[in-house]
Amino acid sequence: MIERNLPLKNVPRRLSSFAADGESRSVPKYELLKRALLDYISELPPEREFLPYEKELAGEFGVSRCTVTKALEKLRRGGYIETSKKSGSRIIRRSLPKPEEYREPMQNIAFLFANNEESTARTTDFRWQLLDETERYFAADGVRTVAYNLRENDWQAWRDPETLAASLEQRGIRFAAFRPGGDDRKFCWRRHLQALQARRIKVVLLFQDCIELTTHASQLLPGIDYLLVNSHDTLFRVLDEHFSGFDRIFYLSNAAADWWAEPRMKLCCDFCENRRIPFEHIRSSYLWLQDADRSQQVPDIDEACTERFLESIPPQGRIACFCANDYSASSFLYRLKDRNIDPARFEIIGFDNRPEFRSLNLSTFDFDAPAQARALFECCEEFRHAPDAVLRRTRGIMTYARFIDRRSEQIS
């Protein structure tokens, strides 16, 4: 019988005691738990070979199973444990790492992206939200995030790949998160990536969905990692869990957004066919409205689209309206109100989780910037631990979108 030595003697249960002096409170719990378990492992006698099971560790430290899983994964990558489904986590290394063993010193990382919005709009765009979350996670580890907005901030200076690469090198940056734009009209992204690689800067590409991954597949050079938000799996799961009992489902989109709205619409259509739920895709014309607050044009749902929807709805029953994005959802909501129709009759769902529309109580899908920032932090940790090996490999990591059901205030 395997003895797992519970309870964990002489190990403080308060994870905050494992935060170093001056560290931010935002150090992830799984990192603190990893440190606690390293202390525990280093004190065990040789005959103690196994860690407690995940459920037992979660109870001992008052954390979730997810936190325990992440902490054990970090120990596994560090060469401290090996795991099997049958036996659990077996200890294979007991000595605490020396600082120079654990990771390379790192003061700065780069966040490269192209965005037409100024920094005052940081809370209203996914790229700025992701930058904020990245800054927060890395600051907890004493690392500063240097932002390069390749389109707004003197973009002509960064048009030359060597100039950009030299700037990163001068700042001592060896790790960069790169969120490419939608086209190459101002940059040939591939040449920029090649210039960064030539200076042994590890690059992680950030993709918002599968369509972007396909669009930028040619940029996945050997040695470049990428993070991908799987919004389609989340959409399918939400449809199955929340909308199987609906009587009719619509998908509303503006023609301007067809290239990325179409795959989501197709997924909704396939779901309805399998469940025998009546489905209709209604396209608005290529209509744009000038948004005074954002000083740019945004897609709108036109009158004809609204009229067609009202002609198609049954007199009663549960009706869901999936919209291509939050702009379309809010526009549709106001179109209904202008006709004195209560939008609460329908379940209206947007996409993007834009802050300016949250007061409308619209359910929506969110790209989950914190989850991507955590995954990016993990990529950097691996690079700091084994830079040569990580520079040679290409790895894809998937995070998932979140569904925010604002009617019930639940986040899936």
Side-chain angles (χ1 to χ4, degrees):
M1 180 178 178
I2 296 171
E3 188 174 357
R4 296 182 181 271
N5 200 36
L6 279 176
L8 280 68
K9 297 177 181 179
N10 303 322
V11 178
R13 301 305 191 276
R14 293 184 61 188
L15 292 181
S16 58
S17 63
F18 292 94
D21 292 340
E23 277 191 320
S24 167
R25 292 182 180 179
S26 59
V27 176
K29 280 187 178 181
Y30 59 80
E31 170 63 26
L32 297 178
L33 178 58
K34 182 208 71 175
R35 298 176 190 178
L37 293 176
L38 280 175
D39 273 4
Y40 171 64
I41 289 171
S42 67
E43 297 294 332
L44 284 181
E47 62 269 19
R48 307 289 191 184
E49 294 186 51
F50 289 84
L51 288 177
Y53 289 114
E54 288 189 12
K55 183 179 179 180
E56 294 164 337
L57 288 172
E60 285 286 316
F61 288 96
V63 296
S64 68
R65 287 283 294 274
C66 181
T67 297
V68 174
T69 300
K70 290 182 179 179
L72 294 178
E73 174 63 14
K74 290 175 75 68
L75 291 177
R76 188 186 65 78
R77 291 179 183 176
Y80 292 95
I81 62 174
E82 61 182 12
T83 57
S84 70
K85 291 183 179 180
K86 183 177 181 180
S87 302
S89 300
R90 179 175 175 271
I91 300 165
I92 57 176
R93 178 185 176 190
R94 296 172 183 270
S95 60
L96 291 174
K98 298 177 182 179
E100 62 270 19
E101 274 184 344
Y102 180 60
R103 62 188 176 194
E104 283 197 348
M106 187 174 291
Q107 294 181 328
N108 300 326
I109 66 162
F111 190 95
L112 312 171
F113 68 118
N115 193 312
N116 286 329
E117 299 188 40
E118 298 289 353
S119 58
T120 53
R122 285 177 74 113
T123 60
T124 64
D125 183 87
F126 172 74
R127 283 157 288 200
W128 287 109
Q129 292 175 39
L130 182 53
L131 171 59
D132 285 342
E133 290 295 332
T134 300
E135 287 177 333
R136 184 173 72 85
Y137 269 89
F138 282 89
D141 211 41
V143 178
R144 186 169 72 101
T145 303
V146 182
Y148 287 76
N149 189 346
L150 304 181
R151 190 166 293 164
E152 286 295 339
N153 299 341
D154 299 324
W155 70 267
Q156 291 184 356
W158 308 127
R159 190 168 191 169
D160 174 41
E162 294 300 325
T163 302
L164 176 64
S167 177
L168 269 65
E169 196 171 48
Q170 289 167 7
R171 287 186 162 102
I173 293 172
R174 295 197 58 210
F175 183 88
F178 198 139
R179 170 126 178 88
D183 56 58
D184 282 353
R185 287 179 294 180
K186 292 186 178 180
F187 294 97
C188 176
W189 302 117
R190 188 179 181 89
R191 291 195 297 113
H192 283 75
L193 294 172
Q194 289 172 331
L196 296 177
Q197 284 190 300
R199 285 174 164 79
R200 293 178 58 79
I201 296 172
K202 181 62 182 181
V203 179
V204 180
L205 291 176
L206 308 174
F207 296 124
Q208 195 163 303
D209 54 35
C210 300
I211 303 302
E212 281 194 344
L213 175 61
T214 303
T215 303
H216 296 286
S218 63
Q219 297 169 10
L220 291 175
L221 307 177
I224 290 180
D225 292 352
Y226 67 91
L227 298 183
L228 170 67
V229 180
N230 190 335
S231 55
H232 288 190
D233 179 82
T234 303
L235 175 57
F236 181 82
R237 175 170 46 83
V238 167
L239 284 165
D240 189 54
E241 293 176 0
H242 295 265
F243 296 95
S244 291
F246 273 65
D247 299 290
R248 194 172 186 88
I249 293 178
F250 292 85
Y251 191 93
L252 308 181
S253 64
N254 185 289
D258 276 352
W259 72 276
W260 48 263
E262 198 76 12
R264 297 173 193 160
M265 181 281 299
K266 184 66 166 54
L267 195 151
C268 291
C269 179
D270 291 344
F271 168 81
C272 289
E273 285 184 0
N274 291 333
R275 297 295 191 282
R276 300 183 183 279
I277 300 173
F279 173 81
E280 187 170 356
H281 178 202
I282 305 179
R283 287 183 177 86
S284 172
S285 61
Y286 202 106
L287 177 68
W288 295 80
L289 293 181
Q290 185 69 26
D291 187 328
D293 293 332
R294 294 164 60 80
S295 300
Q296 68 179 52
Q297 290 185 321
V298 296
D300 185 33
I301 296 297
D302 62 19
E303 281 286 352
C305 180
T306 308
E307 185 66 33
R308 183 175 168 187
F309 166 80
L310 294 174
E311 292 173 353
S312 302
I313 59 173
Q316 58 185 6
R318 302 178 70 190
I319 300 170
C321 307
F322 286 84
C323 299
N325 54 27
D326 285 354
Y327 283 122
S328 298
S330 64
S331 171
F332 178 59
L333 184 147
Y334 284 121
R335 292 285 188 187
L336 294 175
K337 287 184 175 180
D338 287 344
R339 291 167 171 260
N340 295 318
I341 297 172
D342 184 5
R345 285 180 52 192
F346 318 110
E347 181 74 21
I348 302 175
I349 306 100
F351 213 107
D352 289 343
N353 191 28
R354 298 192 72 90
E356 60 264 46
F357 301 129
R358 292 174 190 172
S359 61
L360 300 178
N361 213 35
L362 287 168
S363 296
T364 189
F365 289 85
D366 179 79
F367 291 113
D368 203 356
Q372 277 211 301
R374 287 194 298 270
L376 188 61
F377 183 82
E378 290 290 332
C379 289
C380 189
E381 284 284 275
E382 289 184 307
F383 175 65
R384 295 160 83 175
H385 181 67
D388 291 335
V390 173
L391 279 170
R392 292 192 300 268
R393 69 103 194 266
T394 295
R395 179 186 176 203
I397 301 174
M398 189 175 293
T399 62
Y400 293 84
R402 301 181 303 164
F403 176 59
I404 302 176
D405 185 354
R406 291 207 166 91
R407 290 194 172 193
S408 61
E409 296 299 320
Q410 294 178 354
I411 299 179
S412 300

